[in-house]
């Protein structure tokens, strides 16, 4: 972009004043919001197929799911970072460097294979330490190896390519790639699980096959004619910056992992308190994902717009468009959260079996938790908008530290203290107040208020203006 070119999501009024073009933001964000929804469907597909095997198989998947997800995302930052580098290169008009960042992400993803293999060998000791039923452990390990060791690096390869599409503003291609994976995942699961007879492992191999299909489609887009003339991907592969990919990508992945690990422990604690608390929490979280998942799409649009503005050397405009993304994420997620809370008397009964003896308790508790969750969504919008805008600037190390300290130093121990009754917790060196699910969710709201405020203050400080990636 030259100095006189309009900046990303910028419009001029009749008086020549610049304003944020929210229509342009929605054009960029809408496919990413839809993409997040499709990813949720893909995950639900795996769960449905595994449920056809047995309740034990579902329990095995539940036992290993969060560990697999955290491991993939921790290393997956090297693929996520492509969006930041591609957006800044695009904004600077250095299109070949955007393609170069993509190749760097692809090479860095391949270099994670030994790391995934090392984590793979930790599966058996981990499951043994959890003292799971032997059959649950056997099934979990059958799923663990192909999904993590093979599917992990493949997922990073796909993220590297879709990060390029997002960075240069071609977010519809990302949606197409995810749709390909979601659609092909169904017949691949059926084939590997039941026709080949691999059972639990077949679900993992079905996901791997779907990732291969998505990767092939994404790579065909990347090296195809629509990008070849401007971005020259056939030449950019020779000059890569892999160390930079890890330097930015690892903190990026660590921040998401720190938050997810806290979330996983939060859910486990509430399940440990009571079946009713665990069920109500799961239902409320599934309902509010209708606010969260689109919020991620809005945040990812912020990474692109802030990155492109910084690439164009217009830091003031990067600040304005980042502020707009933060406001939009907060308003959207807050409004959807409140609407879900208002509709909860009609929605909550849909998720329980009326014949279940605990149905009334689950609905009653869920009716209280959904309002706490609505408050959570407002400040999670502040969190997502700020975090993804900082990503666009390449400011990832301090935000990662903020997330880790607040998640592991505040959220997890306070949830334990507030939720469990004296003598009923996992550890006994912390005070325990026995406030149950309401107490745990109240701590979660406090955590996300602190997290969102901390990341917003980092954004408002302007420290990201001094970051060079």
């Amino acid at each position: 972009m030259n100095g006189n070119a309009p900046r990303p999501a910028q419009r001029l009024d009749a008086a020549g004043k610049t304003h944020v073009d929210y229509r342009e933001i929605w054009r960029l964000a809408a496919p990413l919001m839809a993409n997040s929804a499709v990813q949720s469907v893909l995950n639900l597909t795996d769960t449905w197929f595994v449920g056809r095997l047995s309740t034990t198989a579902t329990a095995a998947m539940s036992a290993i799911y969060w560990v697999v997800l955290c491991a993939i995302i921790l290393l997956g930052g090297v693929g996520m970072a492509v969006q930041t580098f591609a957006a800044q290169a695009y904004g600077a008009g250095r299109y070949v460097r955007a393609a170069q960042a993509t190749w760097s992400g692809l090479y860095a993803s391949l270099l994670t294979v030994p790391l995934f293999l090392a984590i793979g060998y930790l599966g058996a000791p981990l499951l043994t330490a959890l003292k799971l039923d032997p059959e649950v452990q056997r099934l979990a390990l059958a799923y663990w190896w192909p999904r993590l060791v093979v599917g992990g690096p493949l997922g990073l390869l796909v993220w590297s390519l879709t990060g390029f599409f997002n960075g240069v503003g071609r977010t519809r291609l990302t949606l197409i790639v995810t749709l390909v994976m979601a659609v092909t995942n169904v017949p691949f699961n059926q084939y590997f699980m039941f026709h080949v007879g691999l059972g639990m492992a077949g679900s993992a191999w079905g996901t791997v096959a779907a990732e291969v299909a998505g990767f092939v489609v994404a790579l065909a887009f990347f090296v195809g004619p629509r990008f070849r003339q401007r971005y020259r991907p056939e030449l950019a592969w020779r000059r890569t910056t892999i160390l930079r990919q890890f330097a930015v990508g690892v903190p990026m992945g660590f921040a998401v992992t720190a938050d997810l690990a806290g979330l996983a422990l939060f859910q486990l604690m509430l399940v440990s308190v009571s079946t009713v608390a665990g069920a109500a929490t799961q239902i409320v979280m599934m309902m509010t994902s209708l606010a969260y998942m689109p919020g991620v799409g809005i945040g990812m649009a912020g990474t692109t717009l802030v990155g492109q503005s910084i690439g164009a050397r217009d830091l003031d405009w990067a600040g304005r468009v980042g502020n707009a993304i933060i406001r939009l994420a907060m308003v959207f997620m807050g409004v959807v959260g409140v609407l879900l809370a208002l509709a909860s008397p009609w929605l909550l009964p849909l998720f329980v079996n009326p014949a279940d003896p605990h149905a009334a308790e689950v609905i009653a508790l869920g009716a209280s938790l959904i309002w706490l969750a609505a408050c959570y969504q407002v400040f999670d919008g502040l969190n997502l908008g700020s975090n993804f805008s900082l990503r666009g600037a390449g400011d990832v190390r301090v935000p990662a530290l903020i997330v880790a300290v607040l998640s592991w130093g505040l959220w997890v121990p306070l949830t334990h203290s507030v939720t469990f009754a004296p003598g009923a917790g996992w550890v006994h060196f912390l005070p325990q107040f026995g406030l149950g699910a309401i107490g745990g969710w109240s701590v979660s709201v406090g955590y996300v208020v602190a997290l969102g405020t901390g990341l917003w203050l980092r954004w408002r400080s302007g420290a990201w203006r001094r970051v060079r990636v």
Side-chain angles (χ1 to χ4, degrees):
M1 295 183 180
N2 59 53
N4 296 320
R7 300 303 179 227
Q10 184 182 85
R11 64 178 177 85
L12 298 176
D13 62 17
K17 293 182 179 180
T18 59
H19 300 273
V20 175
D21 189 347
Y22 283 95
R23 290 176 301 177
E24 178 64 16
I25 292 177
W26 280 115
R27 184 198 66 79
L28 190 67
L32 295 174
M33 296 164 73
N35 181 71
S36 296
V38 173
Q39 286 179 327
S40 297
V41 172
L42 195 154
N43 293 332
L44 287 172
T45 300
D46 287 345
T47 303
W48 183 82
F49 271 101
V50 169
R52 292 175 63 193
L53 293 174
S54 67
T55 301
T56 305
T58 303
M61 188 177 188
S62 175
I64 211 71
Y65 175 79
W66 283 107
V67 183
V68 171
L69 184 62
C70 286
I72 292 174
I73 290 180
L74 176 62
L75 298 176
V78 297
M80 300 176 198
V82 171
Q83 183 179 0
T84 297
F85 298 134
Q88 293 192 10
Y90 179 89
R94 305 180 71 176
Y95 303 118
V96 176
R97 290 203 64 176
Q100 182 188 81
T102 310
W103 286 113
S104 298
L106 292 171
Y107 294 151
S109 298
L110 292 175
L111 290 175
T112 65
V113 172
L115 298 174
F116 276 109
L117 190 61
I119 296 173
Y121 281 107
L122 297 176
L126 173 65
L127 292 172
T128 300
L130 293 175
K131 299 180 180 180
L132 298 175
D133 177 85
E135 181 63 11
V136 171
Q137 181 172 333
R138 184 188 69 80
L139 291 172
L141 283 175
Y143 181 83
W144 168 271
W145 275 100
R147 183 66 186 92
L148 179 70
V149 179
V150 183
L154 270 170
L156 271 57
L157 292 172
V158 175
W159 287 351
S160 296
L161 291 165
T162 56
F164 166 77
F165 302 146
N166 296 341
V168 301
R170 303 295 295 272
T171 54
R172 291 182 182 179
L173 297 182
T174 295
L175 177 57
I176 291 173
V177 171
T178 306
L179 282 170
V180 167
M181 291 192 292
V183 171
T184 58
N185 191 45
V186 175
F188 281 140
N189 264 273
Q190 177 70 26
Y191 176 74
F192 285 107
M193 291 178 69
F194 301 106
H195 290 277
V196 178
L198 295 180
M200 187 74 174
S203 176
W205 283 114
T207 301
V208 167
E211 287 180 327
V212 171
F215 174 71
V216 169
V217 171
L219 187 63
F221 282 143
F222 177 59
V223 300
R226 72 180 69 198
F227 292 119
R228 189 175 300 155
Q229 182 174 357
R230 173 177 282 189
Y231 297 93
R232 308 300 297 274
E234 74 280 6
L235 301 177
W237 64 271
R238 292 175 292 187
R239 298 180 62 186
T240 55
T241 52
I242 296 175
L243 288 179
R244 183 182 72 159
Q245 209 73 29
F246 278 97
V248 174
V250 170
M252 197 177 287
F254 176 75
V256 181
T257 303
D259 189 53
L260 277 179
L263 177 63
L265 291 171
F266 164 75
Q267 285 190 275
L268 283 172
M269 280 186 264
L270 292 184
V271 171
S272 299
V273 168
S274 73
T275 302
V276 170
T281 293
Q282 178 65 18
I283 292 170
V284 168
M285 292 190 71
M286 287 184 64
M287 288 173 59
T288 52
S289 68
L290 294 174
Y292 173 80
M293 296 305 289
V296 171
I298 295 172
M300 292 179 70
T303 299
T304 294
L305 296 171
V306 169
Q308 290 180 356
S309 300
I310 290 174
R313 299 182 181 275
D314 194 338
L315 300 183
D316 290 337
W317 184 253
R320 287 185 64 182
V321 76
N323 290 337
I325 287 291
I326 293 168
R327 288 193 298 269
L328 190 60
M330 288 186 70
V331 170
F332 177 86
M333 294 179 67
V335 168
V336 173
V338 170
L339 290 176
L340 288 170
L342 290 171
S344 62
W346 298 275
L347 294 177
L348 285 169
L350 300 177
F351 293 92
V352 297
N353 182 351
D356 190 291
H358 299 296
E361 295 177 80
V362 171
I363 293 173
L365 180 58
S368 298
L369 297 184
I370 192 69
W371 284 103
L372 288 170
C375 295
Y376 186 101
Q377 294 306 311
V378 175
F379 287 93
D380 206 22
L382 180 62
N383 162 38
L384 291 176
S386 302
N387 201 350
F388 278 97
S389 295
L390 289 166
R391 277 193 196 183
D395 188 2
V396 293
R397 292 181 179 86
V398 172
L401 183 62
I402 292 172
V403 175
V405 169
L406 291 176
S407 179
W408 298 340
L410 176 73
W411 189 17
V412 172
L414 278 181
T415 298
H416 187 281
S417 290
V418 169
T419 301
F420 288 112
W426 295 343
V427 298
H428 303 294
F429 57 83
L430 292 171
Q432 295 167 212
F433 301 102
L435 299 181
I438 296 293
W441 271 92
S442 298
V443 170
S444 297
V445 172
Y447 159 72
V448 80
V449 169
L451 178 60
T453 302
L455 293 174
W456 177 74
L457 289 174
R458 176 68 179 180
W459 172 256
R460 292 289 295 176
S461 74
W464 54 269
R465 293 171 178 261
R466 300 185 293 273
V467 174
R468 297 291 181 267
V469 295

